[in-house]
Amino acid sequence: ETISELQKVATDKYPEVAPSDPMFFLRYCLKDGTSDEEKKTMLEYNLQWRMNEGKEIVQAAREAVDKAISGGSWDNAPVRDMAPHADIVNKYITPSQCLTTTLRSGDLCYCIRAGQIDDVALMSEVSLEQMTDFFLYCKEVNAIVANMRSKSSDSIVEVFTANDLNGVKLVGGDATFR
């Protein structure tokens, strides 16, 4: 599948959520080991999610990134404040425990310092579904930023996730957070 073919699928079937950014579609084209039909299926699954249960997450992430760059340089406050369930989650997950940084290659590294998070207290205040929404939002913010940087650098920027388990209790703690 080419970018234009995938864009056509998106605009024909899911016009209200079809991204205009070609980089979004390029990432599907570059998936090694997948057939054209599998790429199309993955795209459609993603767009269905964006149109339904993921709609608010995607919209919040887009608005947050727009606000974060509106002053000319990155301001992470809107991203934190607009996260799903931020009023609870931000008490336990701070920028020193969950952050995205740029690697020398230009790629992004999203690091979660799980051992530094009071998972028992956090999970006593949020549900697994709420926590999932929060991390899907973080993933969407990182994807938007990676696509923006890919366009500006004319090089594909990837997002790597590092889960720093230093200090994580293997016994005890809250298993739903892990």
Side-chain angles (χ1 to χ4, degrees):
E1 296 277 335
T2 65
I3 292 172
S4 59
E5 290 170 332
L6 292 174
Q7 281 177 314
K8 182 167 176 26
V9 168
T11 55
D12 286 353
K13 289 187 170 186
Y14 309 97
E16 59 277 3
V17 295
S20 58
D21 183 1
M23 183 56 66
F24 178 89
F25 299 99
L26 177 61
R27 293 187 186 279
Y28 286 91
C29 293
L30 297 175
K31 290 194 183 292
D32 287 333
T34 55
S35 68
D36 288 350
E37 194 57 38
E38 289 170 321
K39 291 172 187 175
K40 183 179 161 190
T41 299
M42 287 187 295
L43 171 67
E44 289 191 40
Y45 181 81
N46 185 329
L47 294 174
Q48 287 170 4
W49 178 81
R50 290 168 174 275
M51 194 168 68
N52 296 297
E53 64 267 20
K55 186 175 184 173
E56 290 179 15
I57 292 169
V58 171
Q59 288 174 341
R62 177 77 262 163
E63 286 179 40
V65 170
D66 289 346
K67 286 183 180 181
I69 61 175
S70 67
S73 62
W74 185 264
D75 176 10
N76 205 49
V79 174
R80 285 184 44 79
D81 294 344
M82 294 178 73
H85 320 292
D87 56 324
I88 300 169
V89 176
N90 287 346
K91 292 189 292 186
Y92 300 100
I93 300 180
T94 67
S96 66
Q97 296 157 324
C98 192
L99 63 109
T100 302
T101 189
T102 304
L103 302 174
R104 281 189 291 249
S105 64
D107 292 319
L108 300 175
C109 182
Y110 178 59
C111 182
I112 304 163
R113 299 180 67 207
Q116 304 300 313
I117 298 168
D118 185 350
D119 58 336
V120 174
L122 170 62
M123 296 310 293
S124 73
E125 290 195 50
V126 296
S127 68
L128 181 58
E129 183 179 310
Q130 290 171 316
M131 205 68 248
T132 300
D133 288 348
F134 175 83
F135 282 117
L136 286 171
Y137 167 87
C138 294
K139 184 174 176 63
E140 182 67 17
V141 167
N142 282 327
I144 292 167
V145 172
N147 286 347
M148 289 169 41
R149 289 193 178 181
S150 293
K151 283 196 297 191
S152 67
S153 69
D154 199 31
S155 178
I156 296 175
V157 173
E158 298 286 343
V159 180
F160 299 96
T161 300
N163 199 349
D164 178 0
L165 299 176
N166 187 32
V168 170
K169 298 175 195 164
L170 298 177
V171 177
D174 192 297
T176 56
F177 183 73
R178 283 183 248 133

